[in-house]
Amino acid sequence: MAQLRSYIVGNWKMNGSAADVTVLQAIADAAAGHDGVDVGICPPATLIAAFASAAGPVQIGAQDCHAKASGAHTGNLSAAMIKAAGATYSIIGHSERRADQGESDADVNAKAQALQAAGMGAILCVGETLDERDSGNAIPIVTAQLAASLPDSADGDWLSVAYEPVWAIGTGRVPVAGDIAAMHAALRATLVERLGEAGKGVRILYGGSVNAGNAAEILALPDVGGALVGGASLKAESFVPIIEAALR
Ligand code: PEP
């Protein structure tokens, strides 16, 4: 199978304001000069519409969506709603939502199906806690998380996976290269076991303290198809070098 296009996505979490459209524009300018890589930004939902109209080649996504199309779900947004605002995909199953909102693998699976039904993409996050890493069982735990969160209908046309060790998010700590490679190989095997040939076309991103200094080494690892970036995506100066590292 041909090499998958690299995918570099920024997750702004609960950060940013309308004035930060200038940051998006600087990222869009850089992305326009690098058409070998897919670039995305997931701002807070309140900024999706404004960002979508200034995004150029940058794909604007949401950070979450509800599994249901409508109903009594105060504070939530459906896939159709984020699509109408201008998002073309959503992050789902981020560890901060799994922890803060108690989202289960079944919830994440339902959200993925809702996105697919709406004609949108999904970035499905999985990852182990530090205790799970220290127990030596990170690989079976994370592959089981993926298997339970992944719809049978998944393929790389609309779904990517992000491996994000919980203990690496926002901490400046990154797994050693061998551990990232081993996890990505195990996730690929799980995808192929479940989806057959289609499992080979799903991009597997790494996320957790990616920055301009470590991106090139991480992105060069086998089966690392891109990066999901939190803190370093908030400024063009720290995000653009990660995009450039994906081109090497
Ligand atoms: C994230 O939250 O998805 C993330 C990877 O954050 P950071 O890059 O800040 O560790």
Side-chain angles (χ1 to χ4, degrees), residues 35 38 47 52 57 65 76 81 87 96 125 127 132 134 138 140 145 171-172 181 200 220 224 239:
D35 59 3
D38 292 333
L47 298 178
C65 75
N76 285 297
M81 288 170 179
E96 288 156 13
C125 302
E132 289 168 340
D134 289 344
Q145 211 180 19
T171 60
K200 297 181 185 171
V224 174
F239 192 54

Side-chain angles (χ1 to χ4, degrees), residues 9-13 91 94-96 125 162-166 168-173 206-211 227-234 242:
V9 181
N11 171 16
W12 279 22
K13 311 191 186 191
I91 296 169
H94 192 283
S95 60
E96 288 156 13
C125 302
Y163 166 52
E164 297 206 305
V166 178
I169 294 177
T171 60
R173 296 182 61 193
Y206 168 79
S209 295
V210 175
N211 58 43
L228 183 55
V229 184
S233 70
L234 293 171
I242 299 172

